[in-house]
Amino acid sequence: MRNLWLFILKYHAFFLFILFETAAILILVNNNNYQQATVLNSANNFFGGVYTSYSNLSDYFSLRSANDSLAFENQQLRNQLDTDMYDNSVVRRTRTDSNLLQQYTYMNAKVVNNTTSYRNNFITLNRGSKHGVKKGMGVIANSGVVGIVKDVSEHFCTVISILHKDTRISAQLSSTKDIGSLIWEGVDSRKATLVFIPNHVEVTVGDKVVTTGFSLFPEGVLIGIVTSSEIKSGESFIDVDVYLSTDFQNLRYVYIVENKLALEQLKLESKLTND
């Protein structure tokens, strides 16, 4: 306490100056409309800037919950797409809601681990058997196809991404509907190759490469864009270079696709193998 009083006594002239200066400013502002308006505007600008900065900071830290909310909303919207229905009627005179059953459903998931720099890359998602995930389900993102579920635990699953030597995605050229198989040759995480396209097909740079609907994914899901093609001498097929629509290095949220008719189709097709 003694030190405080000594400090005040030592600098009393400065404190008196501040006191008188403050009193003078208050008298000036209170008795002059122009100065009063100027002070109020300056105060509003200052505190407005502070509140804006606080709001921006708060919005930044709430991005995680916003992303989760958007992922859930997209899941709900995807589950309402007409393209994921199949016609359950025998006589197709009219198309009514009573004849439409949902063939594909979507479950949102978050990427908790992801590799892109190896020859065989995997993704781990925060969804497992507890959530209904099964081996062999397809995985897509808003940007396009991601991969196929390989193994499942109670709360997690691993996915073989397109960036894997064993991944084969049934794909087609959007304009011509010619079907091939998409493979990754292990060089660039944004480049893949569409093989088994007949050499008589006219491939157009910029054409979309999409899913066929023959496997785990609905028809028409984007895979990438044609960048070039090459006809090898003596070969019957063209190699088509594809720029992948999915940026695997920045992948955060995906959707696990369930084909409700997949088991029925596999059981039927297995008879052909056993016969």
Side-chain angles (χ1 to χ4, degrees):
M1 190 66 180
R2 182 173 177 274
N3 290 334
L4 177 61
W5 282 111
L6 290 174
F7 177 78
I8 294 174
L9 289 173
K10 182 177 180 180
Y11 296 101
H12 70 280
F14 173 77
F15 291 125
L16 285 174
F17 171 76
I18 295 297
L19 180 63
F20 291 144
E21 190 70 20
T22 303
I25 292 174
L26 289 175
I27 293 172
L28 178 65
V29 170
N30 288 332
N31 292 279
N32 293 276
N33 292 331
Y34 175 77
Q35 284 80 2
Q36 187 175 18
T38 302
V39 171
L40 288 175
N41 287 335
S42 299
N44 286 337
N45 289 334
F46 173 76
F47 287 109
V50 172
Y51 292 145
T52 300
S53 299
Y54 175 79
S55 177
N56 291 337
L57 186 63
S58 178
D59 289 343
Y60 174 80
F61 285 109
S62 65
L63 284 177
R64 178 177 179 180
S65 60
N67 284 334
D68 290 339
S69 177
L70 287 173
F72 178 76
E73 181 179 347
N74 285 334
Q75 169 191 320
Q76 299 298 101
L77 291 173
R78 284 186 178 277
N79 283 331
Q80 299 175 27
L81 291 175
D82 289 340
T83 55
D84 300 321
M85 306 289 188
Y86 73 96
D87 198 337
N88 194 40
S89 62
V90 176
V91 180
R92 297 178 179 85
R93 294 177 182 173
T94 59
R95 183 174 176 177
T96 62
D97 289 344
S98 61
N99 291 327
L100 291 177
L101 298 177
Q102 184 113 22
Q103 181 175 354
Y104 296 96
T105 60
Y106 303 86
M107 180 191 311
N108 66 306
K110 183 178 180 180
V111 175
V112 296
N113 194 17
N114 182 21
T115 65
T116 60
S117 58
Y118 303 113
R119 182 63 183 93
N120 300 317
N121 293 287
F122 291 88
I123 300 169
T124 304
L125 307 178
N126 67 338
R127 295 288 185 266
S129 58
K130 180 180 180 181
H131 309 96
V133 181
K134 298 176 183 177
K135 182 177 180 179
M137 287 184 172
V139 179
I140 65 175
N142 287 332
S143 53
V145 173
V146 172
I148 302 168
V149 174
K150 182 180 184 296
D151 294 307
V152 182
S153 65
E154 184 177 1
H155 297 96
F156 298 94
C157 66
T158 54
V159 177
I160 301 177
S161 74
I162 289 180
L163 311 181
H164 193 289
K165 69 178 181 63
D166 294 332
T167 301
R168 298 288 186 274
I169 304 294
S170 178
Q172 63 183 345
L173 296 169
S174 180
S175 61
T176 66
K177 305 302 179 185
D178 288 282
I179 296 172
S181 184
L182 189 88
I183 63 172
W184 186 59
E185 297 180 345
V187 180
D188 191 326
S189 64
R190 295 302 297 269
K191 295 180 181 179
T193 305
L194 182 62
V195 297
F196 303 132
I197 296 295
N199 58 16
H200 66 270
V201 175
E202 293 186 7
V203 180
T204 305
V205 173
D207 193 10
K208 293 180 180 179
V209 177
V210 298
T211 54
T212 60
F214 290 170
S215 54
L216 310 171
F217 307 95
E219 183 177 2
V221 179
L222 183 63
I223 298 175
I225 304 295
V226 173
T227 56
S228 64
S229 61
E230 179 184 1
I231 301 177
K232 296 182 179 179
S233 178
E235 297 288 338
S236 301
F237 300 102
I238 305 172
D239 286 347
V240 180
D241 295 326
V242 179
Y243 183 79
L244 296 175
S245 58
T246 300
D247 183 0
F248 286 89
Q249 293 185 346
N250 293 302
L251 196 61
R252 296 294 180 270
Y253 292 90
V254 297
Y255 301 95
I256 301 172
V257 184
E258 179 184 8
N259 181 354
K260 290 183 173 295
L261 300 181
L263 183 59
E264 178 183 343
Q265 181 180 345
L266 288 174
K267 286 183 177 180
L268 182 62
E269 291 175 350
S270 67
K271 294 180 179 181
L272 298 174
T273 306
N274 295 331
D275 289 344

